């Protein structure tokens, strides 16, 4: 039987066994991708289904290349990603190292640490919108009561403060993802090199810098890859807190794309923008992948 | 039998008669039929849905609620249904601002609902519910904004004297927006107290700008659908908001405010004057939630420079899809949801009704209960609903035009552009949208 399949030069058995998986992948991934690529070349409007046949070649893309607001949002998304990821990594690393030191109540703390992840991003958005409200918000009230300021700070209006507020909300919600993954790394870490280093007279910083950190880096890059994909799609928090405003000061790619796609119903145009933004995600993922391979090679003792 | 007992018996008998009357109303027989509906959800809309079981009992039909979402999510879902060709449901919640976008997916209710039933609705609201000559929705409740204020501020003798000295006229609840401007500047004491406030983003700020534009004698478009909101009246309207913002007479965060921020802000007692929807009235006067309870006055929205009152209005409504397989059942269902008794349930919560008779009966009920505040609210809103209310242009492009306008309104507020430059840019973008849509 198996010989029958192996006739000729091709071994068909693995292909046949993989076929269902390939079929499912084609259906749930490739098909929608091809379909949205096609619609990005049409003037497709959601409310007028017949426009899906109105092929306009690259007009949607041409418009985007000439649209200054789009590129500003593109740049802002990169900035948002970079800052949020790095802050989350540093805080997550700190939390993981601290929790790793605890011997009593560690499990409880680990559970508590995951609370922010359990909230839906929309709720997190509302929560921070009211914390940062300039008139009735807790933050300004606290600052004024403590006598640190005598004016109402417009947290969600000033360009820089508004970005800060949104990044703060994002960091609050997702730092624990980093902490959990890095903590898993710390648990998996072998004791021998640490003890050997101590015997050799390394101080705590040297142990951290040359042993713990290199060991954790693959975990960090995996966390970075996953989070970069999530943050690049940041929508709910921004939508609720500022909806990209005021005057476009906090506009990210996805608030812009969602508005074009659903409120304006211009799905063709929105898909073109979404395709360009996918490039951003691919670039970040590729970069982190390279770093991951590099850090693993380092771990393998090549360097 | 004592006199009291007699009265009681009579009362119970009358109540039974009235109740009997309601049950006796023939909603039709649709035994075994399942009506598929998509309704707007949210705390203040739910009490009405609790009565759906009564309609089910009366008709033998079952109601399958496919979704219960807020308007923006429902809008997205309906657009997806249009795109995917899955409009396989019968009744959907709708809104006068959204309705024109949906093309002809909804049936003309003039053919489905008896003229004598339609005659019981406020005529202006049916007009607002009509798109291209087709009555595509039956108004459930409507809303318009009027001016709430803290009464004590206006009754204070020191305030009156100081205001007269500074502005040369008596301090009284304002009749014009120019007076609102003066009074807001007078009362403002940032960051502790503000003269007034307004919403600052999304369609909310577009609407506020739009009604001010109309009150100043301007218009969004000319007769050929060219944008004209960058006219003198438009700049004047925008300067009102920009002026208040720059002077610190409104909270510094207003460019980011939506309805919950302005509502909660006024209830916190830190704002003197607040233009807001009728739906907030009961909340403002509820001592559990509001620091200004018992101190709230309400007057008709003031007039702009052209002598017209602001009156941006919209109605929540119900529509029936063209593809519905039992339009008769659907029509019975939406008539039930908007009938007298159902509207009374919502009116008691302070939501504005769409049937003329419900206005009278709700007012009478509030008066009987000695609720002077709600009597004042309902009388004021009744007048403005009948005389001042107007909708945005009922065209499919309204939301899209709004989306190019509001970021520019914000730009003028936060000083990124002058009001004229901001409106010019928005008008250019709006002209492109109208051109793409084939208007000219």
């Amino acid at each position: 039987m198996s010989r029958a399949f192996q006739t000729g030069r091709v071994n068909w058995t693995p292909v046949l066994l993989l076929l269902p998986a390939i079929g499912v992948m084609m259906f749930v991934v490739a098909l929608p991708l091809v379909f949205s690529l096609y619609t990005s070349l049409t003037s497709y409007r959601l409310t007028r289904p017949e426009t899906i046949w109105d092929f306009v070649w690259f007009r949607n893309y041409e418009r985007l290349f000439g649209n200054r607001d789009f590129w500003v949002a593109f740049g802002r998304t990169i900035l948002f990603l970079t800052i949020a990821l790095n802050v989350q990594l540093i805080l997550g690393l700190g939390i993981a190292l601290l929790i790793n030191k605890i011997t009593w109540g560690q499990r409880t703390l680990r559970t508590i640490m995951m609370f922010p992840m359990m909230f839906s991003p929309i709720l997190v958005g509302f929560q921070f919108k009211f914390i940062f409200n300039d008139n009735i918000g807790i933050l300004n009230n606290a600052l004024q009561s403590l006598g640190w300021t005598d004016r109402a700070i417009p947290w969600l209006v000033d360009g820089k403060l508004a970005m800060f507020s949104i990044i703060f909300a994002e960091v609050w919600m997702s730092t624990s993802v980093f902490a959990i993954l890095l903590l898993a790394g710390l648990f998996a870490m072998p004791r021998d090199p640490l003890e050997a280093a101590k015997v050799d007279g390394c101080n705590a910083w040297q142990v951290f810098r040359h042993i713990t950190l290199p060991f954790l880096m693959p975990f960090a890059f995996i966390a970075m890859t996953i989070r970069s994909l999530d943050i690049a799609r940041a929508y709910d928090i921004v939508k609720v807190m500022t909806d990209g405003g005021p005057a476009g000061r906090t506009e990210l790619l996805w608030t812009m794309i969602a508005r074009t796609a659903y409120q304006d119903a211009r799905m063709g145009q929105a898909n073109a923008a979404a395709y360009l933004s996918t490039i951003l995600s691919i670039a970040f993922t590729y970069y982190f992948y390279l770093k991951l391979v590099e850090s693993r090679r380092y771990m393998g003792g090549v360097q | 039998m004592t006199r009291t007992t007699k009265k009681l018996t009579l009362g119970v008998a009358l109540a039974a008669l009235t109740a009997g009357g309601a049950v006796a109303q023939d909603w039709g027989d649709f035994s075994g039929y399942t009506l598929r509906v998509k309704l707007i959800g949210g705390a203040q809309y739910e009490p009405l849905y609790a009565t759906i079981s009564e309609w089910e009992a009366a008709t033998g039909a079952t109601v399958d609620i496919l979704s219960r979402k807020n308007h923006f999510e429902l809008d997205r879902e309906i657009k997806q249904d249009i795109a995917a060709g899955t409009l396989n449901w019968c009744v959907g919640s709708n809104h006068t601002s959204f309705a024109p976008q949906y093309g002809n997916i909804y049936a003309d209710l003039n053919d489905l609902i008896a003229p004598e039933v339609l005659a019981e609705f406020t005529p202006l609201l049916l007009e607002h519910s009509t798109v291209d000559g087709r009555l595509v929705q039956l108004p459930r409740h409507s809303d318009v904004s009027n001016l709430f204020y803290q009464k004590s501020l206006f009754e204070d003798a020191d305030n009156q004297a100081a205001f007269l000295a500074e502005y040369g006229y008596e301090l009284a609840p304002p009749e014009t927006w120019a007076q609102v401007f003066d009074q807001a500047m007078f009362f403002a004491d940032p960051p502790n107290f503000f003269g007034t406030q307004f919403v600052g983003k999304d369609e909310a700020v577009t609407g506020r700008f739009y009604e001010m534009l109309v009150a100043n004698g301007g218009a969004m478009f000319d007769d050929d659908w060219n944008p004209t909101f960058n006219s003198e009246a438009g700049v004047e309207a925008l300067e009102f908001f920009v002026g208040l913002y720059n002077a610190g007479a409104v909270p510094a965060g207003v460019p980011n405010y939506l309805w919950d921020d302005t509502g909660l802000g006024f209830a916190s007692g830190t704002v003197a004057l607040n233009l807001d929807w009728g739906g907030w009235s009961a909340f403002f006067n509820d001592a559990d939630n509001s620091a200004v309870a018992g101190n709230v006055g309400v007057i008709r929205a003031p007039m702009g420079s052209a002598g017209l009152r602001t009156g941006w209005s919209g109605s929540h409504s119900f529509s029936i899809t063209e593809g519905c397989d039992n339009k008769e059942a659907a029509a019975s269902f939406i008539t039930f949801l908007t009938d007298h008794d159902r509207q009374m349930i919502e009116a008691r919560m302070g939501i504005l009704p769409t049937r003329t008779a419900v206005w009278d009966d709700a007012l009478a009920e509030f008066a009987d209960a000695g609720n002077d505040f709600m009597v004042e609210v309902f009388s004021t809103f009744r007048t403005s609903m009948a005389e001042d209310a107007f909708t945005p242009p009922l065209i499919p492009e309204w939301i899209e035009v709004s989306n190019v306008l509001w970021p520019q309104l914000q730009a003028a507020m936060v000083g990124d552009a002058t009001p004229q430059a901001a409106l010019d840019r928005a008008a250019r973008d709006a002209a492109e949208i109208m051109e793409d849509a084939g208007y000219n």
Side-chain angles (χ1 to χ4, degrees), chain A residues 44-46 49 69 129 133-136 150 152 156-157 240-243 246-247 249 259 262-264 266, chain B residues 76 79-80 82-83 191 194 201-202 245 251-253 256-257 260-261 268 270 400 403 406 410 414 416 425:
Chain A
Y44 185 37
R45 298 183 74 98
L46 273 186
D69 291 344
K129 183 179 144 183
N133 180 298
D134 62 303
N135 184 18
I136 52 175
D150 57 353
L156 296 172
V157 171
V240 171
M241 286 177 72
T242 63
D243 198 7
R249 285 172 177 179
R259 197 177 306 120
Y262 291 106
Q263 288 194 17
D264 297 351
R266 290 186 299 159
Chain B
R76 185 153 86 180
K79 282 172 181 165
Q80 282 169 340
I82 297 175
F194 299 96
K201 65 177 174 185
D202 297 354
Y245 186 71
N256 198 42
Y257 277 18
D260 42 358
D261 305 272
S268 77
T270 57
E400 216 178 321
N403 280 341
W406 68 260
Q410 290 183 326
V414 297
D416 286 358
R425 184 171 169 197

Side-chain angles (χ1 to χ4, degrees), chain B residues 78-219:
Chain B
I78 291 171
K79 282 172 181 165
Q80 282 169 340
D81 281 343
I82 297 175
T86 49
L87 283 164
N88 51 5
W89 38 275
C90 269
V91 171
S93 280
N94 205 344
H95 191 281
T96 44
S97 290
F98 287 119
Q101 302 176 84
Y102 302 136
N104 48 10
I105 68 163
Y106 289 127
D108 186 356
L109 299 178
N110 285 311
D111 306 333
L112 297 169
I113 293 174
E116 58 271 21
V117 174
L118 292 178
E120 290 167 4
F121 286 80
T122 312
L124 185 63
L125 294 181
L126 291 185
E127 211 175 284
H128 292 171
S129 303
T130 304
V131 179
D132 290 335
R134 299 166 74 246
L135 182 67
V136 290
Q137 52 200 327
L138 195 60
R140 163 189 184 173
H141 62 76
S142 55
D143 222 342
V144 66
S145 296
N146 281 313
L147 196 67
F148 296 89
Y149 63 96
Q150 293 196 27
K151 282 198 280 199
S152 56
L153 292 173
F154 287 82
E155 288 158 2
D156 183 279
D158 292 346
N159 279 346
Q160 290 176 349
F163 186 86
L164 183 64
E166 198 176 338
Y167 292 93
Y169 63 96
E170 297 282 340
L171 177 66
E175 260 297 289
T176 66
W177 282 106
Q179 290 172 2
V180 172
F181 195 94
D182 291 347
Q183 293 175 359
M185 302 293 259
F186 175 76
F187 287 125
D189 176 25
N192 303 311
F193 198 81
F194 299 96
T196 184
Q197 56 182 354
F198 44 82
V199 288
K201 65 177 174 185
D202 297 354
E203 195 217 359
V205 66
T206 307
R208 285 289 180 246
F209 165 78
Y210 163 66
E211 63 179 348
M212 195 65 83
L213 170 77
V214 173
N216 289 343

Side-chain angles (χ1 to χ4, degrees), chain A residues 19-270:
Chain A
L19 212 54
I22 292 171
V24 170
M25 288 289 283
M26 291 296 285
F27 191 72
V28 298
V29 179
L31 202 65
L33 275 179
V34 171
F35 179 69
S36 59
L37 178 65
Y38 166 76
T39 55
S40 76
L41 302 174
T42 66
S43 67
Y44 185 37
R45 298 183 74 98
L46 273 186
T47 46
R48 284 169 38 213
E50 71 280 3
T51 49
I52 201 165
W53 307 114
D54 181 20
F55 201 73
V56 294
W57 289 101
F58 294 101
R59 197 182 70 193
N60 290 331
Y61 290 92
E62 278 164 25
R63 280 187 177 183
L64 282 177
F65 280 109
N67 183 347
R68 191 174 165 273
D69 291 344
F70 174 78
W71 291 108
V72 172
F74 196 92
R76 195 178 289 117
T77 308
I78 296 178
L79 188 74
F80 177 71
L81 254 169
T82 313
I83 296 177
L85 274 178
N86 283 298
V87 174
Q88 287 180 5
L89 174 64
I90 291 167
L91 289 179
L93 183 61
I95 293 172
L97 288 171
L98 285 176
I99 289 190
N100 194 36
K101 289 279 177 207
I102 299 176
T103 47
W104 185 83
Q106 201 195 54
R107 282 189 189 186
T108 320
L109 258 182
R110 276 194 334 240
T111 315
I112 294 174
M113 191 174 74
M114 291 180 68
F115 281 172
M117 288 164 62
M118 297 174 192
F119 288 102
S120 105
I122 293 183
L123 288 180
V124 175
F126 273 111
Q127 170 190 314
F128 279 97
K129 183 179 144 183
F130 279 105
I131 288 176
F132 286 113
N133 180 298
D134 62 303
N135 184 18
I136 52 175
I138 294 172
L139 186 60
N140 271 358
N141 259 316
L143 292 177
Q144 286 164 18
S145 304
L146 290 169
W148 292 357
T149 178
D150 57 353
R151 60 189 201 97
I153 302 168
W155 291 101
L156 296 172
V157 171
D158 180 273
K160 292 197 178 73
L161 287 179
M163 268 331 270
F164 166 81
S165 307
I166 291 172
I167 290 174
F168 189 91
E170 171 64 38
V171 167
W172 181 86
M173 189 176 69
S174 305
T175 295
S176 49
V177 179
F178 274 87
I180 294 284
L181 284 169
L182 293 176
L183 196 57
L186 284 173
F187 285 164
M189 196 164 163
R191 296 272 138 210
D192 306 357
L194 291 175
E195 281 156 14
K198 276 180 190 154
V199 171
D200 289 347
C202 291
N203 62 26
W205 166 251
Q206 286 169 328
V207 171
F208 173 73
R209 173 68 190 80
H210 296 288
I211 300 176
T212 315
L213 196 59
F215 185 84
L216 282 182
M217 279 329 271
F219 292 90
F221 284 120
I222 290 170
M224 286 252 201
T225 314
I226 297 172
R227 290 302 306 153
S228 76
L229 291 174
D230 278 347
I231 302 176
R233 291 178 307 194
Y235 171 69
D236 307 34
I237 289 183
V238 189
K239 166 79 189 165
V240 171
M241 286 177 72
T242 63
D243 198 7
R249 285 172 177 179
T250 56
E251 186 88 296
L252 298 183
L253 283 176
W254 288 98
T255 48
M256 183 182 243
I257 290 169
R259 197 177 306 120
T260 312
Y262 291 106
Q263 288 194 17
D264 297 351
R266 290 186 299 159
M267 197 46 107
Q269 181 74 54

Side-chain angles (χ1 to χ4, degrees), chain B residues 370-395:
Chain B
N371 192 342
D372 296 339
F373 174 71
M374 283 312 284
V375 170
E376 192 188 349
V377 166
F378 259 58
S379 325
T380 310
F381 278 86
R382 179 179 202 166
T383 315
S384 61
M385 226 32 250
E387 295 177 26
D388 312 329
F390 52 86
T391 64
L394 296 176
I395 50 168

